[in-house]
Amino acid sequence: MDLHVTALELGKMIKEKKIGVREALDEAYAAIDNGGLNAYTNLCPEFAYTQADAVQRGIDKGELTSPLAGVPMSVKANISTKGIETNCASKMLSGYIPVYDATAVKKLKDAGAVIIGKTNMDEFAMGGSTETSYFGTAKNPWDLKHVPGGSSGGAAAAVISGEGYYALASDTGGSIRQPCSFCSVTGIKPTYGAVSRNGLIAYASSLDQIGPIGRDINDCAEVLKTISGHDSYDATCAKLDFDIGHEVKNLRIGLPRQYFTSALEPEIAKKIYDAAKVFENLGARISEFDFSGDDMTDYTVSAYYIIACAEASSNLSRYDGIKYGYLKEGQGLVESYINTRSEGFGIVVKRRLMLGTFVLSSGFYDAYYKKALNMRNLLRAQWNRIFEEYDVVLGPVAPTTAYRIGENINDPMKMMLGDMYTVAVNMAYLPAAALPCGFDRNGLPIGMQLIGKAFGENTLINAARAFQQATDHHKKFPDADAVKTDRIQYDKGGKNNAI
Amino acid sequence: MNIDDKLIDYLQGLTRLELTDDERESTKLDLKKMLEYVSVLTDTSSLSMMEYEENKFTFISETELRPDEIEPSLNRTDALKNASRRTDEYFVTDKTVE
């Protein structure tokens, strides 16, 4: 079977009985077995084959009509899946088995999704490379010595390599978009409130959002259509009709000048300008603009880290070893808490919890946290003004292509600044799509980002679709033979033994 | 800002964490770098070129709370499933009251 099909193409093949659901699943597991990417923290073959048989029966009876029915897919390790270990790539939640499905997972299962496993990520989504995963770093299929990005690095690596045909992931400050850029796949970070967060294990609740990663924008659009909508289990979930599929004419596209400075690799800048040319040739109107304030990126990244860490310090206080998760007993309750948290969390998580606690603590709250909230309001107002003049903003996803494993892990500033083009979207509650736009001189993928106004996903999707119809960057795949090394051993239950 | 052992001890207490000696040293360095970077926000004069408005929480869209009615919830067996220490009825914790 040709592995280089999209999820919708595979769904069509299944409907037309050119391939069975079990057979499609066999192919995905074979790709995982041969891949050596460490893209998964755990697999669930028993669950998957049972689900595959049920979905096949549903399709045969005409009860399952979704174009995604029967397509093998993955779920990031921080999104709850009933009966399937959901460990957040952390020792703290290793062995944790949710007793309910996240709303987005339930919607996909109702549509006939076949979950093959949970994808590797940075511990509690804190990182941009998967190097903080308790289960070891996932690898970039384009060059195994490089990171796949993060935090959803496993998801992006899996999708481009046929280890599942689309993925459900999450984005707090770029965690869907940056790995898409590093691995040459397409992803959408939806507007805050467009997709229910029920069942998403919280990192920073006002920034987190679940979204799709796929091989092209049509796959992502179909997944987004399936998972979006109001959910009574998430009070921040918007009650509105989510419409995808309108024509967009005379698109006004803006390029922020401050995104194209010396901080951005020139090869990436060139590919983004090339992409702007493609849009121009398609009839869009392109112009450049300035943010108000030259230091806007520094303000935005600073405010993002303050808010994200503050919310994390609150959200992760629930890990006490009592109701679920890792437990290391001590002499008395407080010592048990300390032992459990000190052994259960990795060092990056600990540092972010300490930073978050610091900015919320007495004497520093006004100086840091309150200023960051003010900054967030300013940022939102600024983006609202930008969208009075433009339909879509085009820019880079990351300042570099995928870096080597170990290159940046000990430099938190480099890791923070790696998010400089993505965090504003989360801070301003906006939607954005990341899509492939070329390769650098080393053959590593380059991605671009389209940012839309709140609940403007239809415009983003149509712009992305027009670009992908005019280009073929998204149709390129890494050489599968080149990555058949260093096999990751999963045990019979699907547990990753790479620790 | 100086990140000294006293501050680290204070934060360890608040976060219920205990760092190893190596972790403590690297955390001191990293927190210092991170706080230096984010301190750009603490200089209000640097924000003066922008319209500075007091924080007000405005949500992005209208939301709706579900009716205040009792609905089926997690049953006790499921709720206890992932606990390391439990009986058939309760989570088990260390004694908190002498």
Side-chain angles (χ1 to χ4, degrees), chain B residues 27-40:
Chain B
T27 298
K28 274 200 255 182
L29 286 173
D30 288 346
L31 275 185
K32 188 172 189 310
K33 280 187 204 165
M34 289 166 89
L35 283 172
E36 272 171 9
Y37 181 73
V38 302
S39 290
V40 66

Side-chain angles (χ1 to χ4, degrees), chain A residues 102-143:
Chain A
T103 299
V105 170
K106 186 178 182 309
K107 286 182 173 183
L108 282 171
K109 279 167 75 173
D110 289 347
V114 179
I115 300 169
I116 60 181
K118 307 303 291 279
T119 51
N120 205 354
M121 55 184 276
D122 286 286
E123 184 180 6
F124 282 100
M126 295 182 190
S129 64
T130 75
E131 288 168 290
T132 68
S133 168
Y134 177 61
F135 298 90
T137 308
K139 293 171 185 175
N140 191 312
W142 297 91
D143 187 333

Side-chain angles (χ1 to χ4, degrees), chain A residues 235-295:
Chain A
T236 62
C237 202
K239 189 164 193 178
L240 49 85
D241 289 328
F242 197 70
D243 194 10
I244 293 168
H246 288 296
E247 283 286 315
V248 177
K249 288 175 184 166
N250 297 319
L251 202 68
R252 299 169 300 168
I253 299 181
L255 281 81
R257 283 193 190 90
Q258 284 96 336
Y259 280 5
F260 297 88
T261 63
S262 58
L264 181 66
E265 279 183 4
E267 277 185 287
I268 298 176
K270 185 182 177 309
K271 294 293 180 191
I272 307 296
Y273 284 121
D274 288 349
K277 266 270 180 288
V278 172
F279 280 115
E280 199 167 34
N281 292 337
L282 290 168
R285 285 179 282 157
I286 313 289
S287 56
E288 293 182 299
F289 68 90
D290 291 305
F291 289 124
S292 55
D294 284 341
D295 301 330

Side-chain angles (χ1 to χ4, degrees), chain B residues 4 10-11 14-15 38 51 68-69 74-76 88 91 95:
Chain B
D4 56 16
Y10 174 62
L11 294 176
L14 290 174
T15 52
V38 302
E51 182 190 339
D68 189 13
E69 292 165 0
L74 270 189
N75 64 53
R76 185 160 59 186
D88 289 341
F91 296 109
K95 196 173 175 182

Side-chain angles (χ1 to χ4, degrees), chain A residues 2-22:
Chain A
D2 178 13
L3 284 172
H4 300 159
V5 293
T6 66
L8 288 174
E9 286 166 349
L10 181 60
K12 189 164 178 276
M13 288 166 68
I14 291 170
K15 288 257 173 358
E16 292 169 352
K17 299 193 185 303
K18 288 179 180 161
I19 184 171
V21 179
R22 262 185 174 261

Side-chain angles (χ1 to χ4, degrees), chain A residues 232 298-299 336 374 378 380, chain B residues 37 46 51 55 58 66 94:
Chain A
S232 61
D298 284 337
Y299 291 136
S336 287
N374 284 339
L378 286 171
R380 206 175 133 199
Chain B
Y37 181 73
S46 61
E51 182 190 339
N55 176 53
T58 48
R66 60 177 183 265
D94 297 298

